[in-house]
Amino acid sequence: MKKDLLSVYELGLADFEKIFDDARRLKKALKEGKPHASLKGKTLGMIFDKSSTRTRISFEVGMYQLGGIALFLNSRDTQIGRGEIIADSARMMSRYLNGIMIRTYAQANVEEFASSASIPVINGLTDLLHPCQILSDLFTIKEKKGSYKGLKVTYIGDGNNIANTWIDAAARLPFELALACPEGYDPDAHIMARGMKESKEGIVLYRDPFEAAKNADVLYTDVWASMGKESEQEERKKVFKYYQINKKVLKEAKKDALVMHCLPAHRGEEITADVIDGSHSVVIDEAENRLHVQKAILEILL
Ligand code: CP
Ligand code: NVA
């Protein structure tokens, strides 16, 4: 693997499998109460420009379980929030820490941080991508279905960071990806074009969620208005009305389809309560796996 984890596009098949194998080992060790403190004395800085529940808890607890510590750095309370430049922050923090996780707006800022830092930088979500999430989702699919190979994953909703990262994953791994997004809310054009060219099993963008959901092994959705788009919430409620995972859409998928959501969810918007709380849903396992998968990433990079 490279020094940093900025996107899943930069991973090779062997990198994905190494992360999944290590995550499986670490999950087992934790469940069996076996010591696995492989990062004793190591430190992770966690810079947050946006809110978080899962990412913060799973990275913080993960570092603790591996024998290290994590520092929560809300950028509002640091000099970054007062305009200290990225290059200085990255170079200086590299002298204190063994790794940095960043959640922010622009992907370019995470990339700039990584290129100035001498320590590993992990993308904890940007407007463009959310690599740790999709790695945990793929691991969850492997656990539940044995493999992601040859499966059909259908994403319904906004062409956001989650959709973009699914496309990157489909460019690298042999599964089929169907997306259903309303016009004007497509995934990133560059990521989409690249994914369509490089995917082995195919990536198709639909307007009709029912068509996209046909025969799916996995139905996935995410909020209609991501962090930073809150002011568009009301407008988006109108545009996305039809882009919901509900019982009718679930009927189009395979009988044993998994329902997934990165969380937080808005019941009654992108997904109905009966479906997210129903028998197909694996959203809590998916959230748990953030811990195990990120511990694997931390072990590999730190
Ligand atoms: N799925 C996810 O990243 O959740 P948080 O925003 O709570 O970290
Ligand atoms: N697309 C969502 C994901 C949250 C984990 C957002 O960016 O807000």
Side-chain angles (χ1 to χ4, degrees), residues 50 103 125 130 160-162 222-223 225-227 262-264:
K50 290 176 174 173
R103 167 169 288 197
L125 178 147
H130 196 359
N160 61 15
N161 41 15
I162 296 290
D222 183 19
V223 290
S226 285
M227 289 182 275
C262 56
L263 304 179

Side-chain angles (χ1 to χ4, degrees), residues 51-56 103 130 133 227 262-264 290:
S51 305
S52 169
T53 302
R54 281 145 289 269
T55 305
R56 179 183 175 180
R103 167 169 288 197
H130 196 359
Q133 179 68 51
M227 289 182 275
C262 56
L263 304 179
R290 294 289 303 279

